[in-house]
């Protein structure tokens, strides 16, 4: 068999990186649950007509194809892997509405698949951690102000650079564009959403075929340039001289989000009126999140308000959600060598084996330690103790346990400091900092 070649866009973390990922997920999960979100997992595949009914995503979906015998049922021939967790969640709500209590708060931590060009922090297979709140018929705007607080707490507890949640409201954009008498506001939003990539000149050029005049384009760009850590953006928008009822509604909702975030965690949110988000299903507040010093990598947590995604006939379940791109976040930080784990295994103690006939006794010691929550393994061989200590050191295991001979007491050695003390497996416990690997972040 020839040496395998890595598959681009499908990350496989090394053991130490996987430990870091698990610590991140544990903290994120715990934070979500502290805010009352219930766990949910949906299937990996969805019918293509469901995946493609909102947004321009047809080129990103992995379509499932399988060989079928003649005459075989082909009902599953039009399935695709989900590219995010919001569309499957909306389908789940519609299917299970009679079994859910509204407003329904859910979190979902799963893999998704997207056929895009791989690069640092962008993968074809990745883990997302989503939260959404949906309600029946109407969803109060205060939920749009709550979600950044949850994400702020989730990210603040991780060893990462300071996050800033950039917020806007599509009603602000649509109302402003309606006030400008633009023919296709949604198409204009999609162009403005590319401002950071193509610049003002590029935006102006792409707006022209949409019937946007040069003077209108200047106002569109003037709106996109507005940025504020407080509600002063409202006055800045008013100064542009455009009025529309939808614009007023959007400004009020956006101001409420910024005010709530400022009261909870000053500096958490910033109004950034160039943000639109590319998917068509967003109808209100939209969010993107950047890390201080790593803004060049773009958003690591995004989402927004959607009113019509989970709807069928007279059933309508508006919602708002935010998604942490866990793989994206980790990929960026791993690429910057900004994260480390104190060891690459969960093991805190290695029980040394003096001779193979003593292995069962060593297994009993390990079982006692594990019963008390101490991750323990038994040495793979009865080599000289020096070699067993080196084995532990190579793997980052901090303690080696030496069973006592005959009537002698057991001892445990901290191989980092060299300190060795008598101990019994029924009551010895390492310092809390050594019970599980420690994850640290270092940033320039």
């Amino acid at each position: 068999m020839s040496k395998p070649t890595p598959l681009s866009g499908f990350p496989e973390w090394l053991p130490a990186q996987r430990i870091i990922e698990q610590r991140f997920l544990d903290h994120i999960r715990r934070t979500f649950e502290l805010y009352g979100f219930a766990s949910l997992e949906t299937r990996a595949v969805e019918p293509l007509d469901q995946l493609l009914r909102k947004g321009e995503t047809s080129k990103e979906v992995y379509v499932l194809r399988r060989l079928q015998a003649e005459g075989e049922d082909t009902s599953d021939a039009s399935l695709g892997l989900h590219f995010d967790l919001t569309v499957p969640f909306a389908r789940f709500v519609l299917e299970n509405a009679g079994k859910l209590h509204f407003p329904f708060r859910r979190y979902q931590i799963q893999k998704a698949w997207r056929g895009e060009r791989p690069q640092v922090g962008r993968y074809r297979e990745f883990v997302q951690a989503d939260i959404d709140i949906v309600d029946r018929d109407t969803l109060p705007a205060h939920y749009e102000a709550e979600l950044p607080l949850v994400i702020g707490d989730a990210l603040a507890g991780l060893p990462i650079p300071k996050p800033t949640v950039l917020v806007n409201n599509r009603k602000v954009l649509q109302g402003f564009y309606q006030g400008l008498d633009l023919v296709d506001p949604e198409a204009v939003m999609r162009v403005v959403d590319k401002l950071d990539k193509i610049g003002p000149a590029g935006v102006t050029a792409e707006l022209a075929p949409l019937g946007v005049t040069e003077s209108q384009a200047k106002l569109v760009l003037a709106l996109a340039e507005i940025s504020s850590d407080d509600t002063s953006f409202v006055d800045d928008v008013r100064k542009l001289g455009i009025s529309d009822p939808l614009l007023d509604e959007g400004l009020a909702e956006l101001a409420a989000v910024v005010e709530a975030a400022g009261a909870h965690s000053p500096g958490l949110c910033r109004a950034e009126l160039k943000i639109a988000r590319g998917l068509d299903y967003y109808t209100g507040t939209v969010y993107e999140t950047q890390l201080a010093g790593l803004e060049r990598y773009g958003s690591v947590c995004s989402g927004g308000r959607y009113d019509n995604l989970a709807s069928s006939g007279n059933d309508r379940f508006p919602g708002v959600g935010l998604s942490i791109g866990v793989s994206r976040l980790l990929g960026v930080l791993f690429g910057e060598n900004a994260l480390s784990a104190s060891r690459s295994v969960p093991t805190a103690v290695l029980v040394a084996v003096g001779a193979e006939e003593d292995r069962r006794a060593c297994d009993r010691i390990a079982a006692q330690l594990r019963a008390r929550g101490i991750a323990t393994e038994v040495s793979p061989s009865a080599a000289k103790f020096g070699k067993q200590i080196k084995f532990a050191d190579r793997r980052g295991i901090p303690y080696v346990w030496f069973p006592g001979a005959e009537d002698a007491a057991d001892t445990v050695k901290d191989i980092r400091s060299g300190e060795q003390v008598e101990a019994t497996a029924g009551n010895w416990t390492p310092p809390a900092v050594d019970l599980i690997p420690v994850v640290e972040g270092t940033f320039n």
Side-chain angles (χ1 to χ4, degrees), residues 122 231 237 276:
R122 288 196 177 275
T231 59
V237 174

Side-chain angles (χ1 to χ4, degrees), residues 400-420:
V400 176
W401 191 282
F402 297 98
E406 298 181 356
D407 294 332
D410 291 1
T411 60
V412 61
K413 181 174 184 176
D414 182 337
I415 64 173
R416 299 161 300 182
S417 67
E419 181 183 7
Q420 188 166 342

Side-chain angles (χ1 to χ4, degrees), residues 144 148 164-169 228 233 254 257-258 269-275 285-288:
E144 297 173 55
T164 301
V165 181
L166 311 178
V167 293
N168 196 8
N169 193 302
S228 173
F233 67 87
L254 184 56
V257 172
V258 173
C269 280
R270 185 171 77 240
E272 198 77 39
L273 271 57
K274 63 184 176 183
I275 296 174
T285 303
V286 287
Y287 317 87
E288 292 187 353

Side-chain angles (χ1 to χ4, degrees), residues 162-304:
K162 182 181 181 300
T164 301
V165 181
L166 311 178
V167 293
N168 196 8
N169 193 302
R170 284 174 73 108
K171 293 177 184 177
V172 171
L173 299 176
Q174 186 168 348
F176 190 88
Y177 300 159
Q178 288 176 178
L180 274 174
D181 294 324
L182 301 185
V183 176
D184 191 347
E186 289 192 357
V188 175
M189 283 187 213
R190 288 193 290 271
V191 174
V192 172
D193 198 46
K194 298 188 288 184
L195 178 59
D196 287 340
K197 294 181 181 179
I198 63 177
V203 168
T204 300
E206 290 198 16
L207 289 178
L210 299 176
V212 180
T213 67
E214 185 175 343
S215 61
Q216 289 173 324
K218 286 181 179 179
L219 284 170
V220 167
L221 289 170
L223 179 70
E225 292 172 356
I226 295 175
S227 174
S228 173
D229 294 327
D230 54 30
T231 59
S232 61
F233 67 87
V234 176
D235 290 336
D236 293 336
V237 174
R238 299 294 186 204
K239 291 175 184 177
L240 297 178
I242 304 299
S243 62
D244 184 89
L246 189 61
L247 173 61
D248 296 338
E249 184 179 336
L251 288 173
E253 291 177 2
L254 184 56
V257 172
V258 173
E259 285 179 338
H264 177 79
S265 179
L268 171 63
C269 280
R270 185 171 77 240
E272 198 77 39
L273 271 57
K274 63 184 176 183
I275 296 174
R277 304 294 300 149
L279 294 172
D280 289 344
Y281 56 66
Y282 292 125
T283 56
T285 303
V286 287
Y287 317 87
E288 292 187 353
T289 307
Q290 295 181 344
L291 302 181
L294 300 176
E295 292 86 355
R296 63 188 179 279
Y297 293 111
S299 179
V300 298
C301 176
S302 307

Side-chain angles (χ1 to χ4, degrees), residues 4-25:
T5 304
L7 193 57
S8 178
F10 294 83
E12 294 178 318
W13 307 133
L14 293 170
Q17 295 173 322
R18 178 67 172 156
I19 282 177
I20 294 170
E21 181 184 44
Q22 289 300 301
R23 294 291 176 270
F24 274 48
L25 292 176

